[in-house]
Amino acid sequence: AWSQMQSNGGSSDPRVLTSLDRAREHPFQEKYVMVDAAAARLYMIQDDRIVDSMKVAVGKPGERTQTPMLASTIYYATLNPYWHVSPELVRSLIAKNVLEQGTGYLSSRGYQVMPADASDDRLLDPSTVDWKAVRDGSLQVRVRQLPGPANSMGHVKFGFPNAHDIYLHDTPMKDLFAQDDRTISHGCIRLEDAERLARWMMERDPQAASKQPELNVALPTPVPIYVTYLTAQAHGGQLTFIDDIYGRDEQAMRMAALK
């Protein structure tokens, strides 16, 4: 239907062609997840039809925070996930708050501090850490948040192989899904109803067998995931355009003009 929708001049709008090219890039499977970062929406697709969908929150428009286009496969769900705080947020958020509020800030929110070496999971006493050096970037530590009601990952997350360290995850901040603008993350994809997606992929309720952190549960069948960016869409037989929040259409059209 999209290919038949044309602009007033009789030729296809380049934004439509750009979105069509992105849609054709994916070898769609019998069952898969598609995330449209432009519309901030996730679709569960099975047997060539959309069986469910939900709102998501995606990356901010900045060059280093956009949610990238990618194709991968989800092999497992992680129940009771840690939140592994990014090095950037350790400097700009965690260190700043510790310096202002003391180490009680960490304990009250379930944060643990570890050496920068990823192979060393010893827990450090936060009072022995030079947080000014962490804030300034001259000292690195790792910080993770224990599972619980305040955990930024919520109850479940879905990792998948990709070069950008992007994943899907639950969130305790459900009010953000009432917003029209949901470009608020550092690239990862926050789910409006993570448990509903988990039930569809796991084919059972996503209940953890224990309170142990980071319980990885294999999916009955691996589920492909495609993260795309469709600014031209059909709704009720009408062509509609979504804001090009990441400027990708403009870049694609410039490249096409050079060919």
PDB file of all heavy atoms in Angstrom, residues 6 21 30 53 59 89 108 113 130 134 147 152 171 174 177 181 237-238 241 244 248 257:
ATOM      1  N   GLN A   6       1.566   8.537  -3.274  1.00  0.00           N
ATOM      2  CA  GLN A   6       2.463   9.450  -3.937  1.00  0.00           C
ATOM      3  C   GLN A   6       2.191  10.884  -3.511  1.00  0.00           C
ATOM      4  O   GLN A   6       1.120  11.220  -3.004  1.00  0.00           O
ATOM      5  CB  GLN A   6       2.311   9.339  -5.458  1.00  0.00           C
ATOM      6  CG  GLN A   6       2.672   7.943  -5.993  1.00  0.00           C
ATOM      7  CD  GLN A   6       2.516   7.865  -7.486  1.00  0.00           C
ATOM      8  OE1 GLN A   6       1.589   8.424  -8.045  1.00  0.00           O
ATOM      9  NE2 GLN A   6       3.437   7.199  -8.136  1.00  0.00           N
ATOM     10  N   ASP A  21      12.918   1.561   1.945  1.00  0.00           N
ATOM     11  CA  ASP A  21      14.235   0.919   1.881  1.00  0.00           C
ATOM     12  C   ASP A  21      14.612   0.332   3.237  1.00  0.00           C
ATOM     13  O   ASP A  21      15.160  -0.772   3.312  1.00  0.00           O
ATOM     14  CB  ASP A  21      15.295   1.939   1.438  1.00  0.00           C
ATOM     15  CG  ASP A  21      15.199   2.275  -0.040  1.00  0.00           C
ATOM     16  OD1 ASP A  21      14.557   1.485  -0.787  1.00  0.00           O
ATOM     17  OD2 ASP A  21      15.741   3.323  -0.451  1.00  0.00           O
ATOM     18  N   GLU A  30       9.149 -15.847  10.981  1.00  0.00           N
ATOM     19  CA  GLU A  30       7.809 -16.242  11.406  1.00  0.00           C
ATOM     20  C   GLU A  30       7.368 -15.482  12.659  1.00  0.00           C
ATOM     21  O   GLU A  30       6.210 -15.096  12.800  1.00  0.00           O
ATOM     22  CB  GLU A  30       7.786 -17.748  11.676  1.00  0.00           C
ATOM     23  CG  GLU A  30       6.455 -18.278  12.168  1.00  0.00           C
ATOM     24  CD  GLU A  30       6.484 -19.769  12.448  1.00  0.00           C
ATOM     25  OE1 GLU A  30       7.337 -20.463  11.857  1.00  0.00           O
ATOM     26  OE2 GLU A  30       5.663 -20.240  13.243  1.00  0.00           O
ATOM     27  N   SER A  53       1.349  -4.594  20.282  1.00  0.00           N
ATOM     28  CA  SER A  53       2.315  -3.502  20.201  1.00  0.00           C
ATOM     29  C   SER A  53       2.274  -2.712  21.500  1.00  0.00           C
ATOM     30  O   SER A  53       1.343  -2.845  22.298  1.00  0.00           O
ATOM     31  CB  SER A  53       2.013  -2.585  19.008  1.00  0.00           C
ATOM     32  OG  SER A  53       0.826  -1.851  19.229  1.00  0.00           O
ATOM     33  N   GLY A  59      16.330   6.596  22.388  1.00  0.00           N
ATOM     34  CA  GLY A  59      17.445   7.488  22.664  1.00  0.00           C
ATOM     35  C   GLY A  59      17.190   8.939  22.294  1.00  0.00           C
ATOM     36  O   GLY A  59      16.424   9.250  21.381  1.00  0.00           O
ATOM     37  N   LEU A  89      27.554   7.975  33.228  1.00  0.00           N
ATOM     38  CA  LEU A  89      26.646   8.309  34.323  1.00  0.00           C
ATOM     39  C   LEU A  89      27.307   8.139  35.695  1.00  0.00           C
ATOM     40  O   LEU A  89      26.927   8.820  36.643  1.00  0.00           O
ATOM     41  CB  LEU A  89      25.376   7.455  34.236  1.00  0.00           C
ATOM     42  CG  LEU A  89      24.388   7.844  33.132  1.00  0.00           C
ATOM     43  CD1 LEU A  89      23.205   6.891  33.109  1.00  0.00           C
ATOM     44  CD2 LEU A  89      23.900   9.275  33.311  1.00  0.00           C
ATOM     45  N   SER A 108      21.106   3.893  50.111  1.00  0.00           N
ATOM     46  CA  SER A 108      19.653   4.078  50.108  1.00  0.00           C
ATOM     47  C   SER A 108      19.026   3.666  48.786  1.00  0.00           C
ATOM     48  O   SER A 108      17.828   3.391  48.730  1.00  0.00           O
ATOM     49  CB  SER A 108      19.310   5.538  50.419  1.00  0.00           C
ATOM     50  OG  SER A 108      19.730   6.394  49.367  1.00  0.00           O
ATOM     51  N   VAL A 113      29.590  -0.658  44.543  1.00  0.00           N
ATOM     52  CA  VAL A 113      30.758  -0.123  43.848  1.00  0.00           C
ATOM     53  C   VAL A 113      31.806  -1.221  43.719  1.00  0.00           C
ATOM     54  O   VAL A 113      32.076  -1.955  44.678  1.00  0.00           O
ATOM     55  CB  VAL A 113      31.343   1.087  44.608  1.00  0.00           C
ATOM     56  CG1 VAL A 113      32.516   1.695  43.826  1.00  0.00           C
ATOM     57  CG2 VAL A 113      30.266   2.134  44.858  1.00  0.00           C
ATOM     58  N   ASP A 130      37.855   7.841  46.038  1.00  0.00           N
ATOM     59  CA  ASP A 130      38.032   9.278  45.821  1.00  0.00           C
ATOM     60  C   ASP A 130      36.983   9.723  44.787  1.00  0.00           C
ATOM     61  O   ASP A 130      37.227   9.679  43.579  1.00  0.00           O
ATOM     62  CB  ASP A 130      39.453   9.556  45.314  1.00  0.00           C
ATOM     63  CG  ASP A 130      39.731  11.053  45.135  1.00  0.00           C
ATOM     64  OD1 ASP A 130      38.772  11.852  45.174  1.00  0.00           O
ATOM     65  OD2 ASP A 130      40.899  11.412  44.933  1.00  0.00           O
ATOM     66  N   VAL A 134      36.696  10.407  40.601  1.00  0.00           N
ATOM     67  CA  VAL A 134      35.717   9.740  39.731  1.00  0.00           C
ATOM     68  C   VAL A 134      34.957  10.776  38.925  1.00  0.00           C
ATOM     69  O   VAL A 134      34.779  10.648  37.709  1.00  0.00           O
ATOM     70  CB  VAL A 134      34.743   8.874  40.570  1.00  0.00           C
ATOM     71  CG1 VAL A 134      33.639   8.306  39.672  1.00  0.00           C
ATOM     72  CG2 VAL A 134      35.494   7.752  41.268  1.00  0.00           C
ATOM     73  N   PRO A 147      18.714  -5.420  42.190  1.00  0.00           N
ATOM     74  CA  PRO A 147      17.301  -5.527  41.812  1.00  0.00           C
ATOM     75  C   PRO A 147      16.401  -4.996  42.928  1.00  0.00           C
ATOM     76  O   PRO A 147      16.737  -5.066  44.108  1.00  0.00           O
ATOM     77  CB  PRO A 147      17.093  -7.032  41.615  1.00  0.00           C
ATOM     78  CG  PRO A 147      18.459  -7.581  41.375  1.00  0.00           C
ATOM     79  CD  PRO A 147      19.395  -6.717  42.170  1.00  0.00           C
ATOM     80  N   SER A 152      16.496   0.759  37.826  1.00  0.00           N
ATOM     81  CA  SER A 152      16.145   1.370  36.544  1.00  0.00           C
ATOM     82  C   SER A 152      15.837   0.363  35.455  1.00  0.00           C
ATOM     83  O   SER A 152      15.243   0.716  34.433  1.00  0.00           O
ATOM     84  CB  SER A 152      17.293   2.288  36.089  1.00  0.00           C
ATOM     85  OG  SER A 152      17.447   3.360  37.000  1.00  0.00           O
ATOM     86  N   THR A 171      11.001  -0.613  33.161  1.00  0.00           N
ATOM     87  CA  THR A 171      11.329   0.620  33.880  1.00  0.00           C
ATOM     88  C   THR A 171      10.270   0.876  34.944  1.00  0.00           C
ATOM     89  O   THR A 171       9.088   0.593  34.720  1.00  0.00           O
ATOM     90  CB  THR A 171      11.405   1.837  32.931  1.00  0.00           C
ATOM     91  OG1 THR A 171      11.612   3.029  33.708  1.00  0.00           O
ATOM     92  CG2 THR A 171      10.134   1.995  32.114  1.00  0.00           C
ATOM     93  N   LYS A 174       6.716   4.527  34.797  1.00  0.00           N
ATOM     94  CA  LYS A 174       5.644   4.276  33.836  1.00  0.00           C
ATOM     95  C   LYS A 174       4.994   5.557  33.321  1.00  0.00           C
ATOM     96  O   LYS A 174       4.395   5.560  32.244  1.00  0.00           O
ATOM     97  CB  LYS A 174       4.574   3.378  34.471  1.00  0.00           C
ATOM     98  CG  LYS A 174       5.096   2.024  34.932  1.00  0.00           C
ATOM     99  CD  LYS A 174       5.681   1.220  33.793  1.00  0.00           C
ATOM    100  CE  LYS A 174       6.122  -0.161  34.269  1.00  0.00           C
ATOM    101  NZ  LYS A 174       6.812  -0.927  33.203  1.00  0.00           N
ATOM    102  N   PHE A 177       5.423   7.113  29.621  1.00  0.00           N
ATOM    103  CA  PHE A 177       4.748   6.632  28.423  1.00  0.00           C
ATOM    104  C   PHE A 177       3.488   7.436  28.098  1.00  0.00           C
ATOM    105  O   PHE A 177       2.873   7.235  27.051  1.00  0.00           O
ATOM    106  CB  PHE A 177       4.433   5.141  28.554  1.00  0.00           C
ATOM    107  CG  PHE A 177       5.673   4.312  28.680  1.00  0.00           C
ATOM    108  CD1 PHE A 177       6.047   3.771  29.898  1.00  0.00           C
ATOM    109  CD2 PHE A 177       6.494   4.108  27.587  1.00  0.00           C
ATOM    110  CE1 PHE A 177       7.207   3.036  30.022  1.00  0.00           C
ATOM    111  CE2 PHE A 177       7.663   3.376  27.700  1.00  0.00           C
ATOM    112  CZ  PHE A 177       8.023   2.830  28.919  1.00  0.00           C
ATOM    113  N   ASP A 181       6.649  12.886  23.426  1.00  0.00           N
ATOM    114  CA  ASP A 181       8.083  12.822  23.141  1.00  0.00           C
ATOM    115  C   ASP A 181       8.723  11.836  24.108  1.00  0.00           C
ATOM    116  O   ASP A 181       8.863  12.113  25.298  1.00  0.00           O
ATOM    117  CB  ASP A 181       8.711  14.199  23.290  1.00  0.00           C
ATOM    118  CG  ASP A 181      10.210  14.198  22.964  1.00  0.00           C
ATOM    119  OD1 ASP A 181      10.731  13.123  22.572  1.00  0.00           O
ATOM    120  OD2 ASP A 181      10.854  15.252  23.110  1.00  0.00           O
ATOM    121  N   GLY A 237      -5.185   3.883   5.731  1.00  0.00           N
ATOM    122  CA  GLY A 237      -5.140   4.166   4.302  1.00  0.00           C
ATOM    123  C   GLY A 237      -4.582   5.534   3.952  1.00  0.00           C
ATOM    124  O   GLY A 237      -4.524   5.899   2.775  1.00  0.00           O
ATOM    125  N   GLN A 238      -4.147   6.289   4.958  1.00  0.00           N
ATOM    126  CA  GLN A 238      -3.595   7.618   4.720  1.00  0.00           C
ATOM    127  C   GLN A 238      -2.108   7.631   5.010  1.00  0.00           C
ATOM    128  O   GLN A 238      -1.646   6.995   5.962  1.00  0.00           O
ATOM    129  CB  GLN A 238      -4.304   8.653   5.606  1.00  0.00           C
ATOM    130  CG  GLN A 238      -5.796   8.791   5.354  1.00  0.00           C
ATOM    131  CD  GLN A 238      -6.098   9.347   3.984  1.00  0.00           C
ATOM    132  OE1 GLN A 238      -5.453  10.296   3.536  1.00  0.00           O
ATOM    133  NE2 GLN A 238      -7.070   8.749   3.308  1.00  0.00           N
ATOM    134  N   PHE A 241       3.461  11.372   8.087  1.00  0.00           N
ATOM    135  CA  PHE A 241       4.888  11.517   8.308  1.00  0.00           C
ATOM    136  C   PHE A 241       5.152  11.801   9.787  1.00  0.00           C
ATOM    137  O   PHE A 241       4.412  12.532  10.438  1.00  0.00           O
ATOM    138  CB  PHE A 241       5.467  12.648   7.456  1.00  0.00           C
ATOM    139  CG  PHE A 241       5.455  12.351   5.989  1.00  0.00           C
ATOM    140  CD1 PHE A 241       4.490  12.905   5.168  1.00  0.00           C
ATOM    141  CD2 PHE A 241       6.398  11.519   5.434  1.00  0.00           C
ATOM    142  CE1 PHE A 241       4.472  12.629   3.813  1.00  0.00           C
ATOM    143  CE2 PHE A 241       6.391  11.245   4.087  1.00  0.00           C
ATOM    144  CZ  PHE A 241       5.427  11.796   3.268  1.00  0.00           C
ATOM    145  N   ASP A 244      11.450  13.645  11.746  1.00  0.00           N
ATOM    146  CA  ASP A 244      12.751  13.003  11.555  1.00  0.00           C
ATOM    147  C   ASP A 244      13.663  13.425  12.715  1.00  0.00           C
ATOM    148  O   ASP A 244      14.559  14.248  12.558  1.00  0.00           O
ATOM    149  CB  ASP A 244      13.328  13.421  10.204  1.00  0.00           C
ATOM    150  CG  ASP A 244      14.660  12.772   9.883  1.00  0.00           C
ATOM    151  OD1 ASP A 244      15.043  11.809  10.588  1.00  0.00           O
ATOM    152  OD2 ASP A 244      15.331  13.238   8.942  1.00  0.00           O
ATOM    153  N   ARG A 248      17.931  11.486  10.000  1.00  0.00           N
ATOM    154  CA  ARG A 248      18.434  10.429   9.110  1.00  0.00           C
ATOM    155  C   ARG A 248      17.869  10.532   7.703  1.00  0.00           C
ATOM    156  O   ARG A 248      18.552  10.179   6.727  1.00  0.00           O
ATOM    157  CB  ARG A 248      18.126   9.060   9.704  1.00  0.00           C
ATOM    158  CG  ARG A 248      18.909   8.773  10.963  1.00  0.00           C
ATOM    159  CD  ARG A 248      18.508   7.453  11.594  1.00  0.00           C
ATOM    160  NE  ARG A 248      19.225   7.230  12.841  1.00  0.00           N
ATOM    161  CZ  ARG A 248      18.935   6.280  13.712  1.00  0.00           C
ATOM    162  NH1 ARG A 248      17.918   5.447  13.467  1.00  0.00           N
ATOM    163  NH2 ARG A 248      19.635   6.129  14.824  1.00  0.00           N
ATOM    164  N   ALA A 257      21.235  12.212  -3.511  1.00  0.00           N
ATOM    165  CA  ALA A 257      21.420  13.284  -4.490  1.00  0.00           C
ATOM    166  C   ALA A 257      22.839  13.295  -5.071  1.00  0.00           C
ATOM    167  O   ALA A 257      23.068  13.770  -6.179  1.00  0.00           O
ATOM    168  CB  ALA A 257      21.114  14.627  -3.856  1.00  0.00           C
TER     169      ALA A 257
END
